[in-house]
Amino acid sequence: MTKILYVEDEPFLGKIVKESLESRQFEVCMVADGRDVLTQFKAFQPVICVLDVMLPHRDGYALAQDIRQLAPEMPIIFLTAKTQTEDVLKGFQAGGNDYVRKPFSMEELIVRIQNLLQLTNAKPVLLAPNGHIGLGSYTFYPHKYELHRASNLRKLSHRETELLSILAENRNFTVPRRDILMRVWGDDSFFNSRNLDVYITRLRDYLRDDPALEIVTLKGVGYLFKCEG
């Protein structure tokens, strides 16, 4: 079942939306208070987040930025009664992928969720409670832009973190080259394609001390991040 983190502080609306999603075979964790969201995000490990904007203690825009630090590729949909263009732009700038205005139909929301899941090829990012991802003998902290192994720490750039997050999400699965280019750079131009080659080489170098990890190039297709154990 697809796991959705749903954040909404209106109990009546929240109950309707949660039950409607569950009737479509989604697994839903609903949170009403902004200060509880990150704890639930780490414990529940969703594949998509649906966030109300106006929330007690921490609004949806701030939460999206928090979630982006933990999981840079997490799909995020905002739900809000705000209709001004500047509010919509603020949502996208905060890290949202889509923006649904209240009132909305459940059919519209479900279609938007399904479309976004298809576009992002979303899979759960297996975060430990403190927000890290185990990769063989390495520990990857996306929100800190860090890769650890034993007592060694390597600081990662934003692009390196984005790319390693995608590979980690899809470990032991093939990731099409074009999908990576579109998600990280926004287009698949020759220049960005060469940049991708450079970053893949760097990540291979960073992970070279663990023979159980290998980034395999599938010529004409993409990459396979082999992660044994």
Side-chain angles (χ1 to χ4, degrees):
M1 294 176 71
T2 299
K3 298 171 76 170
I4 299 175
L5 180 68
Y6 172 45
V7 184
E8 173 60 69
D9 67 330
E10 296 180 35
F12 181 71
L13 174 62
K15 183 174 185 292
I16 292 173
V17 173
K18 183 176 186 291
E19 290 178 355
S20 296
L21 290 172
E22 288 172 340
S23 73
R24 303 298 183 94
Q25 306 307 307
F26 292 105
E27 182 179 351
V28 182
C29 174
M30 186 175 128
V31 186
D33 192 320
R35 64 187 167 190
D36 299 326
V37 170
L38 288 188
T39 300
Q40 292 299 320
F41 176 83
K42 293 172 186 176
F44 186 58
Q45 298 186 358
V47 297
I48 188 169
C49 297
V50 178
L51 310 178
D52 186 26
V53 171
M54 301 301 293
L55 295 164
H57 299 109
R58 195 156 181 80
D59 68 27
Y61 299 137
L63 289 172
Q65 293 174 330
D66 294 340
I67 289 168
R68 279 273 174 264
Q69 289 188 345
L70 287 172
E73 303 304 318
M74 178 63 57
I76 296 173
I77 296 176
F78 284 116
L79 303 178
T80 182
K82 295 188 172 185
T83 59
Q84 297 298 315
T85 300
E86 54 265 31
D87 295 317
V88 176
L89 292 175
K90 186 175 179 181
F92 287 120
Q93 290 165 354
N97 300 95
D98 203 353
Y99 200 98
V100 180
R101 293 180 174 89
K102 295 179 179 178
F104 56 87
S105 72
M106 280 308 304
E107 290 303 319
E108 178 189 3
L109 178 60
I110 288 167
V111 167
R112 287 177 180 269
I113 289 171
Q114 291 171 335
N115 285 346
L116 188 52
L117 289 172
Q118 279 190 322
L119 286 170
T120 59
N121 191 29
K123 295 181 178 68
V125 180
L126 302 179
L127 292 169
N130 61 352
H132 71 252
I133 302 171
L135 300 172
S137 61
Y138 291 87
T139 305
F140 174 39
Y141 292 84
H143 61 298
K144 294 181 179 179
Y145 295 70
E146 292 178 358
L147 185 65
H148 295 234
R149 185 175 188 267
S151 60
N152 298 318
L153 181 156
R154 181 182 296 276
K155 295 295 291 186
L156 302 176
S157 70
H158 179 69
R159 290 278 194 239
E160 289 167 349
T161 299
E162 283 188 304
L163 181 53
L164 187 54
S165 294
I166 293 171
L167 294 173
E169 287 174 21
N170 295 278
R171 68 192 81 174
N172 299 314
F173 289 91
T174 300
V175 188
R177 184 180 181 87
R178 186 175 186 277
D179 287 0
I180 295 175
L181 288 166
M182 295 304 294
R183 289 175 67 178
V184 177
W185 281 276
D187 70 65
D188 58 352
S189 68
F190 177 81
F191 177 75
N192 288 332
S193 185
R194 297 287 71 82
N195 276 336
L196 174 57
D197 293 336
V198 171
Y199 281 102
I200 289 290
T201 299
R202 286 184 191 170
L203 292 182
R204 283 177 174 144
D205 183 56
Y206 298 164
L207 300 169
R208 68 181 184 278
D209 291 328
D210 188 342
L213 301 177
E214 183 182 7
I215 302 174
V216 180
T217 299
L218 303 174
K219 191 173 181 180
V221 179
Y223 297 98
L224 172 65
F225 183 29
K226 297 173 69 175
C227 185
E228 299 176 11

